[in-house]
Amino acid sequence: MLARRTFWLSAVSKEIAATRRRQHLPFPCLPQFRRLSSQSPARPSADIQKAIVDEARLLQQEDKSIPWYRLVAKYHLSIDTLQSIYNQAEVDTQRRQQLCALVTKTAERHFDSALGQCNWEAVASELDTPLIACLDHFNASNSMIKPRSPIETYGGWSKVDMGKLEQFIAANYADSSSVDWRLAGAYMNIDALECQRVGLGTFNDPINELGYRRVCEFRESVMSWKDIHQHFQQYANVSLLKGKCLVFKRKLDGVTGVRLTSKWTDADLERMKDLIEKHLESATRSELVDIIQRELPARPLSDIRLLFGRYLYKLRAGRMHSGQMIRLRELVAEYGEDWDRIGETLGVLPCRAQRNWLEHGGNVGGNSSWTSDETRQFQQLVSSGVKAKEAVKLLKTKPYWAFQDKKSRINTVAKQQGDGTFSGSCWSAADDETLLKMIDGSTASAAAKWEQVRKALGRSVIACQHRFLAISNSRSQVADDHRNSVTSEVQRQLKSNSTVDWSQVSQETGFGLRECLELSQYDVGKARWQYDPDSFSQSMADRLTGFIKEHYPVPTPVSYRAVSNYMWVDMDDCIRIHELLQGKFKWTEADCERVIALRAQGLMFKEVARQLSPTLATGTVKGALRRYLLPKPVQKPISADELVEVSRLVDEYAGKYPVTDLFTKIRTQLNLTNRYHSHQSIVKCIAAHPHYQTKIRNIDYNDLANRIATGQTTAKLAAMEFDVPLRNIEVRMRAVDNRLYSSKWTEEETRKLVDYMQSCDSKPDLVYFSKVLGTKSPIHCSRKITRLRHNGVLPHVPKTG
């Protein structure tokens, strides 16, 4: 017993020593690597930090804890850095909430109910905070201050209010295009859209020659007017910008907007309007023109017809201003669709009131862009058979023409599906982002995955699949262009200087340093690096491991393409050397024969291990040699009676003993001659037992993956901590690791896999291939090979044994 205990302690000590040698390799930072590190920012930019925080909060809503390991693989930052960014954002959020509450309470004290405005200058002075910051932190939803209604302000913007708004804009913004109308609305205590409409009305200057040239350049690049308007925010809407451009074009062409042959006086114009309103119901258009010509004989007939047409259209169907539209909405709610009464109250023709209501539905803003919520409501209304006129009344956010345009576009481009979704509606940037996030981050089956996407986006499965294919093709084309540009720059530098300055490549191409290393595909002239104990360079090993540790923190998948370009060494050699430095060694018959030959020369096992790998332990060499020399027993499957006995013992002892002692307890009570198969049977029975399955389901694997990634624990220690079989932990951890990769295969990745499988004479090494590919795990490769064999792309391999 004492001898067994001593042997066990010796084995444990050797394992601990080997682990320490593997994990505590020296990583000195060489001058060349320091130059590389100095060009990498210590912390990411503000936009990336915001994206990290937003994604972490989204993941926290989905899971119990934040899976930091997924963000590590995406942003190439350590877990400590990600957590510090997230914690700082949480602190900033709490400070902002406190400041919002303070600003809101202070604004309520300085609010003048008689004027309906707040003295924001006094608020800023009391809090010793800039005026813009106070307005930005004002929380209107939690405030007792009620904003002024547009009814009170339309047409009633006094000179004092206009002057106050102009003074605020001039004091805080360079021009009207940079104004934050949300803050301006809070300053004036009025709706932001109303404030923007009135404010832009004072700054709608004609477009100049430089602006018109920019618009022409945008249009030549096939840019839509909506996107062009993003560069000309000083104009209230797209229509106004198009009108300004049209006016400028007419000036360039020498065309005037007014085509009257003579100048009309105000008296003549009022006389013509009175005649039209007096005889409109009793006379036809030609009779009205004759009446006006008889009353105004000095005016040419062409001028009469031109002004008559303009005024008649405005009288019958002209768009009402926002104040009239608000009043129209109130009258429709009060009188219903009694257009005669509504027209008499508004002072317009009944046909004009009816047409404005049908076309615009009381919508003051007149915004034609559709949000995702409005699109879903529209689909529900159309699917239930509601007409456009009724839909205008129910939705109350879109005019009649917007409904007609939306419906016609859907009817002509797409077919309505049985579930009420449409495949032809426009895709927004937010829809594309949601689609990519759900597809790339989903671990569900293909059918369930697309069903989740369909429900989230409110579209058909076919539409989602076609859109994802289009995005993937565009991204693939962009990636090819980037890869070609970096590779061309590398070739140019090698021809001129015989060396590659990656910092210069980054400046010339505009990509980051690590991106350039990952994109370059040029391998001509790279050196070979085979392990030789006599000439092995520890400085090169430190350089390799230091680069990987800096740019690919655990558990980020390492891009050996980038490592190969940085070291300018063959990629296969980089993979092999990195595996040796990690303590990994794949034993072959040739290696065992070499060990025997070296031992015959009189070398000790320590010296033999050094000949094979810089980190190989002596006990590992002894164990491999023992397994190679000893005869292998004939393995027979375990019998049914023995399997029943194993299951009975597992049911009896599960939960009574620690899982680490359970295997030994069962093994001592069984007299099984087949050691290998009995070992596997006991492990499988323990892992499948309901007692341990219940424990497995209660483990937070995101938290466990984070702890393993930071080195706080290992899979073996976690199995002892949770008292579950190691097999279950390893299976779940492999599933977690697969989430670091996208399950979508590109054409290039599939082609590389097929080429590799066709070049393999023996069993393929998928672990090696996944490292070469860099974008898929070994499990992903194995599943893809199964699908390729099922589809006939790869030949089926018959099972042996």
Side-chain angles (χ1 to χ4, degrees), residues 557-569:
V558 179
S559 173
Y560 287 96
R561 167 64 61 182
V563 177
S564 172
N565 289 328
Y566 175 70
M567 302 292 296
W568 204 246
V569 173

Side-chain angles (χ1 to χ4, degrees), residues 176 181 195-204 233-236:
S176 60
W181 294 107
C195 188
Q196 180 183 11
R197 184 189 62 79
V198 176
L200 288 177
T202 62
F203 295 99
N204 280 336
Q233 293 291 333
Q234 64 268 32
Y235 300 109

Side-chain angles (χ1 to χ4, degrees), residues 406-528:
K406 183 80 168 176
K407 189 174 181 180
S408 63
R409 189 167 68 242
I410 289 177
N411 289 338
T412 55
V413 178
K415 297 180 179 180
Q416 185 176 356
Q417 307 295 319
D419 54 2
T421 58
F422 299 89
S423 59
S425 51
C426 295
W427 286 79
S428 63
D431 293 339
D432 292 342
E433 183 179 358
T434 303
L435 175 63
L436 292 175
K437 186 178 296 184
M438 294 188 68
I439 294 300
D440 291 341
S442 177
T443 58
S445 62
K449 177 171 58 179
W450 287 110
E451 183 65 19
Q452 294 172 3
V453 174
R454 183 194 69 78
K455 292 180 180 179
L457 296 177
R459 302 173 184 269
S460 67
V461 172
I462 296 177
C464 296
Q465 291 175 344
H466 287 178
R467 182 61 179 178
F468 181 74
L469 181 61
I471 296 175
S472 300
N473 292 337
S474 62
R475 289 198 302 178
S476 177
Q477 181 64 36
V478 171
D480 291 340
D481 296 340
H482 294 174
R483 192 179 298 111
N484 294 335
S485 64
V486 173
T487 304
S488 300
E489 178 62 23
V490 171
Q491 290 178 346
R492 186 190 67 79
Q493 289 196 19
L494 285 173
K495 290 180 180 179
S496 59
N497 304 327
S498 300
T499 57
V500 180
D501 186 355
W502 290 104
S503 60
Q504 185 178 354
V505 174
S506 175
Q507 294 176 1
E508 293 293 334
T509 57
F511 302 116
L513 199 58
R514 190 182 66 244
E515 287 182 286
C516 293
L517 291 168
E518 293 176 351
L519 289 172
S520 177
Q521 303 293 312
Y522 193 72
D523 295 330
V524 178
K526 287 186 177 180
R528 298 301 304 270

